[in-house]
């Protein structure tokens, strides 16, 4: 018993193997004799991880797991059943709070609660989603938001009335593109005609679902305006929310106008993006350079921006208050400064549009500032856990968004660095090399480099999954640019907004422009380095889940069990690299087919050769880790076409055919192993993918095997979710519908080229 007791206490500090366990020569006990000691160690570590105060950071992990299970369901869950299960599990956790099984029960309750909250949010925002394109529909409604883009403008219309020749079911909101400079004012009531499309479905199996984002934003269709936009008298005031939106949009426009008077081009676009969240007017070359270099996170208002805003206000207010000796001795000026910083962060949240990513940043910052007000430690895992729970409860759909995933992964890594890494890294005597380096500012440089490295590594799995790339030089770019952004760009922007009412803002915008010039120069320099574009072929959610588990284990665990996270990360890397690429990709409309040739690259069969499929091709090539542009001539190599159709050859010699005319079907059935057609195909020996199958299942990915083809669909059979409903019979809207023919005072119809450039 004494030996057993020593085994339970030895090595608790995290040494492995425990002191005294190794025999002469440095070898641990061998054979079955080592197993009892190992089992005892595991028990001690598990008890330590489940101890008092250690469960809170795991609650949002379990809560998020429940949300992930909701999004993985094939059918929409019954809300009453999910809510009842969550209530029962929560009551059981409360009842068993003093029992040993409490940690397990509370995790189960958190999973059930996350599942129920996601189902409740989906039911709360339920609305109609357009299933088929319509080519002309009359709409009237209120303009809720407006975005200025590089080539076109875009706005969201809250629909009041909607008329179409086929009696289309009314939509609540639609997102429309217009010719640049013709977008209506936020808050106005307009009448127009539009061409509408269903929300964009994934362009290949496993691709990001933009339609899901639009569903939770309350948008049921997208499209573009046809003809003039007429301002009319509204049937009602539109409500308080619309007046608030109009006021905030006017404020953003005023800030942008003052910046425009001093800056132009990308400098103006980036300055406006940093202050108001409007980032769509940045030119494509600069935008690409920012993301390739690893500085793309600067363009989206996130935790970094919110922290800089709160930090600048906090230290500025505290410095001003410290100038009054009476205040410093008799009043809590630190807490007053935290209140001022919280108010500034709240204003920044509202000014930037209060998107989900910005809400997450604000809640994290608010928790930190409130901790200062109540004399608690600000940067802790508890702070991160509370912020995560607030965000996931308000917007459970944020869990599947790359912004949330990357932001919280980076924050988890940085909190772990602050609480675990920094005390060990800088716990050195004063005469050490570390102390001497700190005298020359080396400590700050080392911390910035280490923080950039940790954040970059933590976000790498999500960047590889969603964007199919990594940033090899991200640490270099952040080291060169972020000090300037933190010390010059953001403070100058804040002082510029504060000076606007007094008319002295011009010099601050100019200073902001100098810093932005440096940031753009760094981004373009890093993006031009050899190997700067680290392309990664698409992989499934399995490796991403394994990588997420590894990051969580490394960040939250304290005992040697944390190294299980390194094993999970290693598994994720091997799993991702071993993911086979599809042999065939078929677009949802059946007009584009990607065939993997003998050279291992995709070759494209295209029924229509124009720019309308450029966005699709860019996504396919990026997911294939292929750096060729969408217009590259080599994409059509090995493809033979005539008026009847096109054929291409698989590596094993099998033919893939796209039949454009009915008289080509019989011949293709005899020769091809796969036939794609938009017509009704006869029974034949080839695998047939017709329009009906594509309408039901969306885009397809196929892998060739000896037994035929393994088919993966965007909407597998049996899947029916609110943002991706199963296809039903009937046709809504035809090209023969009446188009507007009245004279147009101001034509807002964007050009086809502009629409494609904005994809």
């Amino acid at each position: 018993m004494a030996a057993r007791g020593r085994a339970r206490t030895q090595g608790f500090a995290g040494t492995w193997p425990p002191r005294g366990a190794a025999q002469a020569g440095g070898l641990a006990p061998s054979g079955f004799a080592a197993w009892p000691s190992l089992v005892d160690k595991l028990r001690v570590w598990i008890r330590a991880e489940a101890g008092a105060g250690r469960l809170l950071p795991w609650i949002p992990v379990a809560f998020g797991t429940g949300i992930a299970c909701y999004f993985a369901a094939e059918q929409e869950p019954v809300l009453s059943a999910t809510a009842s299960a969550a209530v029962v599990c929560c009551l059981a956790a409360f009842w068993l709070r003093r029992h040993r099984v409490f940690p397990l029960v509370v995790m189960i309750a958190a999973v059930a609660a996350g599942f129920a909250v996601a189902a409740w949010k989906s039911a709360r925002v339920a609305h109609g989603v357009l299933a088929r394109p319509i080519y002309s529909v009359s709409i009237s409604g209120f303009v809720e938001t407006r975005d200025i883009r590089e080539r076109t403008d875009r706005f969201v219309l809250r629909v009041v009335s909607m008329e179409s020749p086929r009696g289309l079911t009314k939509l609540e909101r639609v997102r429309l593109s217009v010719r640049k400079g013709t977008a209506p004012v936020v808050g106005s009531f307009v009448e127009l005609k539009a061409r509408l499309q269903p929300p964009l479905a994934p362009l290949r199996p496993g691709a990001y679902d933009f339609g899901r984002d639009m569903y939770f934003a309350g948008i049921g269709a997208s499209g573009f305006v046809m003809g003039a936009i007429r301002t009319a008298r509204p049937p009602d005031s539109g409500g308080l929310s619309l007046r608030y939106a109009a006021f905030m949009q006017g404020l953003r426009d005023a800030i942008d106008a003052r910046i425009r008077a001093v800056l132009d081009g990308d400098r103006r676009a980036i300055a406006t993006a940093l202050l108001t969240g409007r980032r769509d007017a940045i030119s494509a070359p600069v935008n690409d350079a920012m993301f390739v270099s690893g500085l793309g996170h600067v363009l989206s208002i996130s935790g970094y921006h919110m922290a800089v805003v709160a930090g600048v206000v906090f230290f500025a207010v505290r410095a001003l208050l410290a100038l009054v000796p009476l205040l410093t001795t008799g009043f809590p000026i630190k807490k007053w400064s935290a209140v001022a910083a919280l108010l500034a962060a709240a204003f920044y949240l509202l000014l930037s549009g209060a998107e989900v990513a910005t809400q997450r940043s604000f809640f994290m910052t608010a928790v930190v500032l409130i901790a200062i007000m109540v004399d608690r430690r600000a940067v802790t895992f508890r702070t991160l856990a509370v912020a995560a729970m607030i965000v996931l409860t308000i917007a459970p759909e944020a869990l599947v968004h790359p912004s949330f995933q990357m932001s919280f992964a980076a924050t988890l890594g940085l909190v772990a660095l602050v609480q675990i890494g920094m005390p060990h890294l800088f716990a050195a005597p004063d005469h050490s090399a570390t102390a001497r380096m700190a005298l020359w500012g080396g400590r700050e440089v080392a911390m910035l480099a280490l923080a950039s490295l940790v954040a970059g590594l933590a976000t790498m799995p999500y960047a590889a999954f969603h964007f199919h790339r990594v940033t090899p030089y991200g640490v270099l770019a952040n080291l060169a640019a972020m000090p300037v952004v933190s010390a010059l760009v953001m403070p100058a922007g804040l002082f510029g907004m504060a000076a606007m009412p007094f008319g002295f803002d011009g010099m601050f915008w100019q200073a902001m422009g100098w810093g932005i010039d440096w940031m753009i120069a760094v981004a373009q320099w890093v993006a031009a380095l050899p190997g700067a574009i680290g392309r990664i072929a698409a992989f499934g959610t399995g490796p991403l889940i394994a990588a997420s588990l590894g990051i969580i284990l490394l960040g939250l665990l304290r005992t040697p069990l944390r190294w299980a996270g390194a094993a999970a990360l290693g598994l994720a890397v091997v799993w991702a690299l071993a993911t086979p690429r599809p042999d065939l990709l078929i677009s949802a409309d059946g007009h584009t087919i990607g065939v993997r040739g003998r050279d291992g690259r995709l070759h494209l069969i295209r029924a229509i050769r124009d720019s309308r499929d450029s966005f699709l091709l860019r996504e396919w090539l990026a997911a294939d880790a292929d750096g060729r542009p969408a217009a590259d001539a080599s994409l059509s190599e090995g493809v033979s076409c005539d008026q009847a159709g096109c054929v291409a050859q698989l590596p094993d010699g099998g033919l893939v055919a796209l039949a454009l005319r009915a008289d080509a079907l019989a011949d293709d059935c005899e020769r091809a192993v796969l036939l794609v057609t938009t017509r009704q195909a006869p029974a034949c020996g080839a695998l047939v993918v017709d329009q009906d199958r594509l309408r039901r299942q969306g885009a397809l990915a196929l892998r060739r095997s000896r037994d035929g083809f393994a088919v993966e669909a965007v909407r597998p059979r049996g899947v029916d979710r609110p943002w991706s409903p199963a296809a039903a019979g009937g046709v809504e809207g035809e090209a023969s519908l009446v188009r507007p023919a009245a004279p147009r005072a101001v034509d807002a119809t964007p050009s086809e080229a502009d629409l494609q450039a904005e994809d």
Side-chain angles (χ1 to χ4, degrees):
M1 290 297 294
R4 187 180 182 91
R6 286 193 300 271
R8 291 186 177 181
T9 56
Q10 249 179 359
F12 182 74
T15 58
W16 181 258
R19 288 187 294 270
Q23 305 295 325
L27 297 177
S30 59
F32 294 103
W35 284 106
S37 176
L38 178 60
V39 171
D40 287 341
K41 286 293 182 187
L42 290 175
R43 289 175 178 172
V44 171
W45 293 335
I46 291 173
R47 289 195 186 100
E49 298 293 355
R54 301 300 303 276
L55 290 179
L56 180 59
W58 290 97
I59 297 295
V61 175
F63 192 82
T65 301
I67 296 174
C69 291
Y70 165 80
F71 284 107
E74 295 182 350
Q75 300 285 329
E76 190 66 14
V78 179
L79 180 59
S80 58
T82 60
S84 300
V87 170
V88 170
C89 291
C90 291
L91 291 176
F94 179 78
W95 182 264
L96 298 173
R97 65 188 183 279
R98 300 187 184 278
H99 292 71
R100 292 184 177 181
V101 296
F102 173 72
L104 176 62
V105 176
V106 77
M107 292 299 120
I108 295 175
V111 171
F115 194 95
V117 166
W120 170 79
K121 179 63 179 291
S122 179
R124 187 170 65 85
V125 302
H127 58 86
V129 176
L130 187 66
R132 290 279 188 170
I134 56 174
Y135 296 94
S136 179
V137 58
S138 299
I139 312 175
S140 65
F142 292 98
V143 179
E144 290 191 335
T145 64
R146 182 184 66 185
D147 293 329
I148 298 176
R149 301 164 67 82
E150 184 183 5
R151 292 175 179 259
T152 64
D153 292 346
R154 194 166 66 183
F155 65 95
V156 173
L157 188 72
R158 186 208 301 170
V159 177
V160 173
S161 65
M162 188 171 187
E163 300 175 358
S164 70
R166 295 293 180 92
L168 182 71
T169 302
K170 177 185 173 182
L171 303 173
E172 293 186 8
R173 287 178 178 83
V174 295
R175 189 177 67 190
L176 300 172
S177 295
V178 294
R179 187 163 55 85
K180 190 170 181 63
T182 61
V185 177
V186 173
S188 60
F189 184 83
V190 298
E191 298 174 345
L192 53 87
K193 282 185 176 291
R195 179 174 180 174
L196 299 180
Q197 298 281 345
L200 182 63
L203 300 177
R204 57 173 182 80
Y208 190 75
D209 193 346
F210 295 97
R212 181 181 56 210
D213 288 351
M214 292 179 65
Y215 175 80
F216 282 98
I219 301 173
S222 62
F224 60 89
V225 173
M226 301 174 61
I229 301 175
R230 296 172 295 277
T231 302
R233 184 172 182 176
D236 54 62
S237 63
L240 180 62
S241 62
L242 190 66
R243 291 195 294 272
Y244 159 76
F247 171 77
M248 295 306 300
Q249 186 63 46
L251 186 58
R252 296 186 197 104
D253 291 341
I255 295 173
D256 182 60
R258 298 293 283 267
I259 295 175
R260 191 186 297 271
V262 179
L263 306 177
D264 56 7
D266 288 313
R267 296 198 304 166
R268 186 220 37 106
I270 293 177
T272 300
L274 295 177
L275 298 179
T276 68
R278 182 192 295 168
R279 58 184 181 274
D280 294 317
I282 303 170
S283 66
V286 171
N287 189 71
D288 292 342
M290 293 290 288
F291 280 94
V292 169
S293 65
L295 293 175
H297 64 91
V298 179
L299 302 179
S300 177
I301 295 178
S302 60
Y304 164 77
H305 304 77
M306 198 67 69
V308 171
V309 169
V312 169
V313 174
F314 178 85
F315 288 109
V317 172
R318 191 175 184 183
L320 290 175
L321 294 177
L323 295 177
V324 183
L326 180 62
L327 294 179
T328 59
T329 58
F331 298 92
I333 62 172
K334 182 179 179 181
K335 297 181 180 181
W336 291 0
S337 303
V339 172
L342 182 59
L343 294 176
F347 173 75
Y348 190 43
L349 169 71
L350 300 177
L351 180 65
S352 62
E355 296 181 353
V356 172
T358 316
Q359 292 178 29
R360 189 269 319 151
S361 307
F362 170 75
F363 291 135
M364 181 68 187
T365 303
V367 171
V368 170
L369 293 172
I370 293 173
I372 294 175
M373 297 177 200
V374 297
D375 297 320
R376 296 293 183 91
R377 289 183 61 185
V379 182
T380 66
F381 290 110
R382 288 172 177 258
T383 303
L384 181 62
V386 171
M389 285 299 297
I390 294 174
V391 173
L392 292 177
T393 301
I394 295 175
E397 69 276 10
L399 180 78
V400 293
H401 197 278
S403 174
F404 176 91
Q405 296 168 3
M406 298 176 72
S407 185
F408 267 96
T411 307
L412 175 61
L414 294 176
V415 173
L417 176 65
V418 170
Q419 290 206 332
I420 302 173
M422 286 177 58
H424 294 287
L425 182 63
F426 296 109
D430 293 339
H431 60 274
S432 66
T434 302
R436 291 194 299 270
M437 182 177 63
L439 294 176
W440 296 92
R443 176 172 178 169
E444 286 70 20
V445 174
M447 282 308 306
L448 180 59
L450 193 57
S452 299
L453 178 63
V454 169
L457 292 176
T459 57
M460 187 177 295
Y462 308 99
F465 178 80
H466 292 288
F467 310 117
H468 319 300
R469 62 171 177 251
V470 295
T471 54
Y473 304 117
V475 174
L476 176 62
N478 280 274
L479 280 176
M482 295 314 293
V484 175
V485 177
S486 302
L488 177 61
V489 175
M490 289 299 296
L494 294 177
F495 290 133
M497 287 194 295
M500 275 181 59
F502 308 100
F504 293 103
D505 52 308
M507 59 181 178
F508 296 108
W509 306 137
Q510 188 62 54
M512 195 176 185
W514 295 334
I516 292 174
D517 284 338
W518 171 257
M519 183 175 64
I520 293 175
V522 169
Q524 293 175 334
W525 171 66
V526 172
L529 293 176
I533 305 176
R535 296 184 176 91
I536 302 293
F539 52 88
T541 57
L544 185 69
I545 293 173
S548 300
L549 178 62
I551 293 171
I552 292 170
L553 293 177
L554 283 172
L556 295 184
L557 296 183
R558 292 293 176 274
T559 66
L561 290 175
R562 74 167 71 98
W563 299 115
L569 286 173
L571 172 64
V573 172
V574 174
W575 194 351
L577 296 178
T579 301
R581 294 181 295 176
D583 296 310
L584 287 156
L585 290 169
I586 304 176
S587 65
D589 59 7
H591 292 161
T592 307
I593 306 172
V595 182
R596 193 168 304 283
R598 296 180 185 274
D599 58 359
R601 302 194 299 177
L602 288 178
H603 299 273
L604 301 177
I605 301 176
R606 284 178 277 185
I608 303 175
R609 293 178 177 271
D610 57 24
S611 61
R612 288 182 294 177
D613 57 356
S614 59
F615 182 58
L616 168 73
L617 299 185
R618 289 198 301 268
E619 164 61 22
W620 282 8
L621 293 172
D624 209 53
D626 193 331
R628 290 177 293 174
D632 196 297
S634 65
L635 292 171
S636 299
E637 291 179 357
V639 178
S640 300
C641 293
D642 56 25
Q643 294 182 350
C646 301
V647 294
Q649 196 173 54
L650 290 166
D652 62 1
L655 292 180
V656 177
L658 173 62
L660 301 178
R661 294 189 346 194
D663 55 5
L665 294 175
D667 185 50
D668 289 337
C669 277
E670 294 180 1
R671 300 171 53 207
V673 295
L674 175 70
L675 171 61
V676 180
T677 178
T678 58
R679 301 177 179 272
Q680 188 68 32
C684 62
L687 174 64
V688 177
V689 177
D690 57 12
Q691 192 66 24
D692 182 64
R693 180 169 188 172
L694 292 172
R695 183 175 60 87
R696 287 184 286 105
Q697 296 191 323
L700 303 176
L702 297 87
R703 292 185 176 88
R704 179 82 157 139
S705 65
R706 293 182 179 179
D707 301 327
F709 288 97
V711 182
E712 185 180 0
V714 165
R715 289 191 301 272
R717 183 174 300 175
V719 173
D720 186 10
R721 302 307 299 272
W723 55 87
S724 182
V731 178
E732 299 179 34
E734 296 291 345
S736 60
L737 296 182
V738 178
R739 298 174 184 267
R744 300 172 181 178
V746 179
D747 190 351
T749 309
S751 69
E752 188 74 24
D754 287 343
L755 287 172
Q756 295 305 316
E758 294 293 341
D759 279 336

